[in-house]
Amino acid sequence: MKMSVLYYSKSGNTKKMAEVIAEGMQSLEGVEAKAFALDGIDDNWVRESKCVVIGTPIYMASVCGEVKTWLEGPALKYALAGKIGGAFATADYVHGGGELGIRTILDHMMVFGMLTYSGGGSCGKPVIHLGPVALSGALDSYRDTFHTYGRRMAEKTLEIFG
């Protein structure tokens, strides 16, 4: 089953964490996951994906302009309705707005008709209520959480569509 992790990354931080989520997804048998920068999406892959996760760096306590522009335009061509959706962020500061950016993405996904998911507290620790946020100065310390998030997204997608 195909799954996609889409992201914008200026410094490489969001790309790195997108790849970790895709690795977590692929840790399950029967899952093929790929990470794509927003300006390099394989259109057919994303259309065929049952799960789409979107990541953003946080600027000014919100999603970056490139993600907002993508959500309000190009995203509409990917037939996202009915797919599992999730979001993640990278930020410079612990109180820099990571969850606000994730909420912006999740809100758009719900408008698209996607089924948003994270696992919340129901999966135990690490608790990931909305989506994971990694701080730029310590990306490696968030690797396990992002990997777990990818695995949880894949598990739920397989449960629903498998």
Side-chain angles (χ1 to χ4, degrees):
M1 183 174 300
K2 292 181 180 176
M3 300 183 191
S4 296
V5 183
L6 311 179
Y7 64 89
Y8 173 79
S9 188
K10 185 175 181 178
S11 68
N13 291 338
T14 310
K15 175 185 181 192
K16 180 176 182 177
M17 301 320 286
E19 291 169 348
V20 172
I21 291 170
E23 287 172 19
M25 290 173 162
Q26 290 189 137
S27 69
L28 294 178
E29 187 175 329
V31 173
E32 296 177 86
K34 292 184 181 180
F36 300 103
L38 291 181
D39 63 358
I41 293 173
D42 179 329
D43 292 346
N44 289 329
W45 185 275
V46 175
R47 282 190 193 98
E48 294 171 12
S49 292
K50 296 296 185 189
C51 177
V52 177
V53 172
I54 300 172
T56 185
I58 297 300
Y59 299 149
M60 306 299 286
S62 190
V63 298
C64 66
E66 291 81 358
V67 169
K68 181 85 161 120
T69 297
W70 188 85
L71 287 168
E72 293 181 357
L76 301 173
K77 74 179 184 179
Y78 290 102
L80 296 172
K83 297 179 189 290
I84 301 293
F88 71 99
T90 58
D92 287 335
Y93 310 104
V94 70
H95 301 293
E99 289 189 341
L100 295 172
I102 288 171
R103 277 296 308 271
T104 297
I105 295 169
L106 295 175
D107 289 349
H108 279 77
M109 288 178 161
M110 286 188 281
V111 171
F112 296 152
M114 296 181 78
L115 309 168
T116 61
Y117 182 74
S118 69
S122 68
C123 298
K125 293 189 178 187
V127 174
I128 306 169
H129 287 306
L130 299 175
V133 178
L135 298 181
S136 60
L139 291 181
D140 288 336
S141 69
Y142 295 95
R143 185 175 183 17
D144 289 344
T145 299
F146 275 67
H147 191 275
T148 297
Y149 175 75
R151 191 186 77 246
R152 288 177 183 172
M153 294 299 290
E155 287 170 346
K156 183 55 70 175
T157 305
L158 289 171
E159 178 185 327
I160 292 174
F161 295 106

